[in-house]
């Protein structure tokens, strides 16, 4: 009798774990498409694109960049899949080298490859290496699942050589 109870509990636990794993959103890729090399004094555009296998309906991105090498000139929202932008976003502060974007869209949300979030126009200020990084602790993608589940994402820091 005790053996049956243990088997039943193990079976219920396995079903619950499987259910939980199937409900987890897939991994997303956050991509800044920057040139590898640019000349000092030159302006250049860097599209922020997102590839995600499961629908999302909101996202926040917090980037940092070296303010002695780069400055943000403008953030273009044209062509973005975001229908709504959080008040005050997107925003940037060249003094601290920060760039923040936050927005969303109603159901059915966005899923797919290379969806445009925004395009950042930078100016290369001085020669050297400029690395654009994502603060993964503050940045997040939220699934369109009614629960606001966080979608796991990857981002590779972008290195730009300024000549």
């Amino acid at each position: 009798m005790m053996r049956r109870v243990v088997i039943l509990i193990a079976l219920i636990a396995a079903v619950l774990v499987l259910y939980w794993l199937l409900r987890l959103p897939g991994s997303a890729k956050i991509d800044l498409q920057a040139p590898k090399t640019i000349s000092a004094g030159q302006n250049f555009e860097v599209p922020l694109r997102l590839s995600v296998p499961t629908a999302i309906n909101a996202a926040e991105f917090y980037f940092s960049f070296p303010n002695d090498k780069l400055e943000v000139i403008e953030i273009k929202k044209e062509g973005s899949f975001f229908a709504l932008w959080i008040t005050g976003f997107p925003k940037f502060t060249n003094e601290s080298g920060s760039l923040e974007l936050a927005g969303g869209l109603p159901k059915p949300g966005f899923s797919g490859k290379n969806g445009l979030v925004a395009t950042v126009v930078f100016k290369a200020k001085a020669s050297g290496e400029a690395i654009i990084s994502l603060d993964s602790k503050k940045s997040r993608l939220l699934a369109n699942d009614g629960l606001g589940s966080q979608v796991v994402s990857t981002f590779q820091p972008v290195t730009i050589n300024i000549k």
Side-chain angles (χ1 to χ4, degrees):
M1 182 66 165
M2 181 64 136
R3 187 173 170 179
R4 287 184 183 178
V5 170
V6 170
I7 291 172
L8 181 61
I9 291 172
L11 185 58
I12 291 171
V15 168
L16 289 174
V17 167
L18 183 59
Y19 173 76
W20 180 75
L21 287 174
L22 290 174
R23 289 187 40 86
L24 283 178
S27 180
K29 182 181 177 195
I30 302 166
D31 188 26
L32 281 177
Q33 299 175 331
K36 299 285 184 206
T37 305
I38 199 82
S39 297
Q42 192 173 11
N43 291 356
F44 60 99
E45 293 188 353
V46 179
L48 169 59
R49 297 198 175 271
L50 181 63
S51 295
V52 60
T54 187
I56 63 159
N57 64 359
E60 292 179 283
F61 303 97
Y62 295 88
F63 293 98
S64 62
F65 58 90
N67 62 353
D68 62 328
K69 304 281 186 244
L70 298 173
E71 73 176 272
V72 175
I73 302 298
E74 124 184 66
I75 302 170
K76 298 179 180 181
K77 299 186 286 186
E78 296 82 21
S80 174
F81 65 78
F82 279 166
L84 309 165
W85 289 89
I86 304 300
T87 303
F89 286 88
K91 65 182 176 179
F92 60 90
T93 306
N94 284 318
E95 292 77 25
S96 63
S98 66
L99 168 64
E100 303 171 8
L101 300 105
L105 64 163
K107 281 191 173 195
F110 170 78
S111 64
K113 294 185 184 275
N114 292 318
L116 180 65
V117 175
T119 301
V120 182
V121 180
F122 282 100
K123 179 177 184 175
K125 292 170 57 175
S127 61
E129 186 176 84
I131 298 173
I132 304 172
S133 301
L134 178 73
D135 184 338
S136 60
K137 290 186 182 0
K138 289 174 63 177
S139 300
R140 58 193 180 139
L141 302 173
L142 301 178
N144 188 26
D145 62 0
L147 303 171
S149 301
Q150 192 157 339
V151 176
V152 175
S153 62
T154 60
F155 175 79
Q156 292 296 318
V158 174
T159 301
I160 303 166
N161 292 306
I162 304 169
K163 295 185 179 201

